[in-house]
Amino acid sequence: MSDGYTKKRRRLTQKQEKFVEAVASGSAPTLTSAYTEAGYQVNGKGSTLRTNASRLAKKPHVAPIIEERKAAYTAHAAASLAGRRNYVLQRLREEADNPDSRASERISALALLAKASGALDDAKERETKRSTATEADLIEELHNRLSPYVDEPLDVTPEGVDTPDSVDDT
């Protein structure tokens, strides 16, 4: 049910738009530099600039747009990174399977693929990862390593440890 009132988003000025873009994209390392890049006045104390930049970033019609654009930039960067990773892995697979390549090139491609998949991580690397891992991380690693060999996940919960499924609510 509508009460006939819908809140319109206030339009940004050109300077605000430039500020939002600089902050969201990360092209400006600080709010103050984004503020000055956007064309706001730079004369005065540095503390005044910092205060004004901070106030602008917190304005109710500016802050949500900064967050939306940051999220969009982050999503785009993640998709781009995943695309580049897939491209590199595909090219390595092609090289590893190419009978016209020299054996050393195929072996190098296979070694890189194995490293990317974690198939050949050495004991020192595993120890480093495991020393900071939580119990859940270790159990997940165990399940991942065993999944090619067992159909159902094994219960690896230590005896005497309550799990969410084993707690008696009576």
Side-chain angles (χ1 to χ4, degrees):
M1 184 171 163
S2 175
D3 60 3
Y5 174 77
T6 56
K7 191 172 184 178
K8 283 187 177 181
R9 184 176 268 183
R10 193 168 142 190
R11 290 179 85 69
L12 298 178
T13 65
Q14 283 184 328
K15 286 182 182 179
Q16 289 171 338
E17 184 65 41
K18 288 178 184 177
F19 175 79
V20 165
E21 206 50 40
V23 172
S25 70
S27 67
T30 64
L31 291 177
T32 305
S33 60
Y35 189 78
T36 57
E37 280 180 28
Y40 287 97
Q41 221 170 353
V42 294
N43 56 358
K45 294 182 185 176
S47 61
T48 304
L49 284 174
R50 286 189 298 277
T51 301
N52 290 343
S54 179
R55 283 184 183 154
L56 179 57
K58 292 177 184 175
K59 285 193 176 209
H61 70 287
V62 174
I65 296 172
I66 290 173
E67 293 308 313
E68 288 171 11
R69 299 228 181 123
K70 276 185 180 179
Y73 276 108
T74 301
H76 177 73
S80 179
L81 179 62
R84 285 193 305 270
R85 178 180 167 81
N86 287 338
Y87 171 77
V88 168
L89 292 175
Q90 180 59 37
R91 293 298 309 266
L92 286 170
R93 283 186 207 102
E94 290 170 5
E95 184 64 36
D97 293 338
N98 185 351
D100 296 331
S101 295
R102 293 191 316 243
S104 62
E105 293 168 341
R106 291 194 312 268
I107 291 169
S108 292
L110 284 170
L112 289 170
L113 284 168
K115 183 171 177 123
S117 69
L120 296 181
D121 58 347
D122 65 12
K124 189 172 186 174
E125 286 179 44
R126 284 193 304 272
E127 183 58 35
T128 302
K129 288 179 193 173
R130 291 176 182 163
S131 66
T132 59
T134 65
E135 184 177 313
D137 293 335
L138 295 172
I139 291 171
E140 181 180 353
E141 179 187 353
L142 183 59
H143 283 299
N144 289 339
R145 288 185 178 266
L146 291 176
S147 64
Y149 310 107
V150 294
D151 293 331
E152 295 181 27
L154 302 174
D155 180 13
V156 293
T157 308
E159 290 183 34
V161 174
D162 288 332
T163 62
D165 296 336
S166 67
V167 175
D168 188 10
D169 291 335
T170 58

